Amino acid sequence: MVFGRSTRLLAGAMAVACVVLVGPSAPGSGLFGKSLPVADVRDMVPNRVMTWNICNPCEVSNVDRAAEIAAYAPQVIGLQEACVRDVERIRNYLRGLYGLDYHVEYGTVLQDWGRCGGVPWNPGGFGQAILSAAPMTDRVHVEYPEGGSEDRGYTAVTTMVGGQPVRVFNTHLAQRRQEAVRADQMEVLAADVARHDRAIVLGDFNAVPDAPELARIWALAADTDPQCHPSPTGTCTPTTDWHSKFDYIFLRGIASLEHRVQPTPYSDHHLLHTDLHPA
């Protein structure tokens, strides 16, 4: 009898572990097949959007990453330097531990075994991802013609924010000291953003606000921080551990109510989120 009970406990623990690590990809699937206690369930904050570069350190717990996101429960999230497997696990934890159920679209630019695991002949995907409480349509994934030292691109989707459709872009520009490459990338991105009257542009731009390569996006949109602009007199809150602002939420045709930059031990980029003015 004792042996049988131990076997059942072990089998149950393994089943839970498999669901957490692999998990269903379709929104609406419960992690354990039942609702969580009410005290553990959180509501997404309407009109809140977030951007976060989650890698470096890269080998950190996805449970901890999910907890950081759940603390603010945004409606839309842009992740950069994200492995597909990590994002899936983060989504499973958000759903199973906090009741936060997100749709996802990926913008994979690399198949990278060293970064994302897998097997050499089938490595994991690496790039950016957009998570949204509402379904996403009209997905577009663009790899920049020149990525610099590593392939880069952007992903765009249409989703509902504030009760209205809005075009959401998520990008990661070339690394520092590659200004000319970033300028070319920005030409590609800005041309797409300009086609939309209502747009949210999230991402790690690897450039400070007064960098010349960001001039095109400043001409189209404003940063969610009202004190942040390309003028040298602007007072932009840093978004990285090295005290630079590299991460942005640009808004076109949309106003923000407030924003917050939150340092985190799980990345050298801070979480940046903003609450948008209802339409």
Side-chain angles (χ1 to χ4, degrees):
M1 182 180 296
V2 173
F3 176 79
R5 181 175 182 271
S6 299
T7 301
R8 288 194 300 272
L9 288 174
L10 177 60
M14 292 178 66
V16 169
C18 288
V19 173
V20 170
L21 291 175
V22 178
S25 60
S29 302
L31 185 64
F32 305 120
K34 61 181 180 179
S35 299
L36 289 164
V38 174
D40 293 334
V41 175
R42 304 182 187 181
D43 293 327
M44 294 184 193
V45 179
N47 306 322
R48 176 170 290 176
V49 298
M50 172 187 286
T51 184
W52 189 21
N53 183 322
I54 63 173
C55 188
N56 197 17
C58 301
E59 302 297 328
V60 300
S61 168
N62 289 311
V63 174
D64 294 329
R65 287 167 169 162
E68 293 283 271
I69 293 171
Y72 305 102
Q75 183 180 356
V76 176
I77 308 164
L79 299 177
Q80 302 88 41
E81 292 202 63
C83 293
V84 170
R85 288 185 178 89
D86 286 332
V87 175
E88 282 300 303
R89 289 166 181 166
I90 290 168
R91 288 179 67 223
N92 289 338
Y93 286 127
L94 287 168
R95 178 172 54 244
L97 300 177
Y98 305 103
L100 299 173
D101 201 3
Y102 289 98
H103 301 261
V104 66
E105 290 288 353
Y106 293 102
T108 296
V109 293
L110 292 171
Q111 300 295 324
D112 197 312
W113 178 52
R115 285 181 184 265
C116 298
V119 292
W121 56 91
N122 186 25
F126 177 81
Q128 56 267 346
I130 298 175
L131 279 64
S132 175
M136 294 174 279
T137 61
D138 303 320
R139 174 192 178 273
V140 171
H141 173 58
V142 175
E143 287 195 40
Y144 295 123
E146 173 57 51
S149 55
E150 181 180 84
D151 293 349
R152 295 290 163 90
Y154 73 85
T155 301
V157 299
T158 298
T159 190
M160 299 296 291
V161 178
Q164 293 194 35
V166 61
R167 195 67 172 165
V168 178
F169 296 82
N170 183 24
T171 192
H172 187 195
L173 299 189
Q175 295 174 355
R176 287 178 286 179
R177 296 181 293 278
Q178 299 181 64
E179 293 85 353
V181 175
R182 286 196 300 274
D184 290 341
Q185 293 171 347
M186 183 53 64
E187 290 291 326
V188 175
L189 176 62
D192 198 351
V193 174
R195 287 192 277 267
H196 301 275
D197 295 329
R198 286 171 47 85
I200 301 170
V201 187
L202 312 167
D204 174 5
F205 288 73
N206 270 317
V208 295
D210 62 350
E213 60 266 30
L214 297 190
R216 281 293 309 276
I217 192 67
W218 283 116
L220 295 171
D223 186 63
T224 184
D225 181 353
Q227 302 300 318
C228 186
H229 44 81
S231 168
T233 60
T235 54
C236 302
T237 304
T239 64
T240 65
D241 287 352
W242 55 92
H243 307 296
S244 295
K245 179 176 172 66
F246 277 10
D247 305 272
Y248 298 82
I249 299 176
F250 285 108
L251 303 176
R252 177 173 169 83
I254 306 170
S256 64
L257 293 174
E258 61 177 338
H259 81 288
R260 181 173 181 179
V261 177
Q262 180 62 46
T264 168
Y266 307 113
S267 175
D268 57 359
H269 286 256
H270 308 336
L271 290 91
L272 170 61
H273 70 78
T274 187
D275 293 339
L276 305 179
H277 196 286

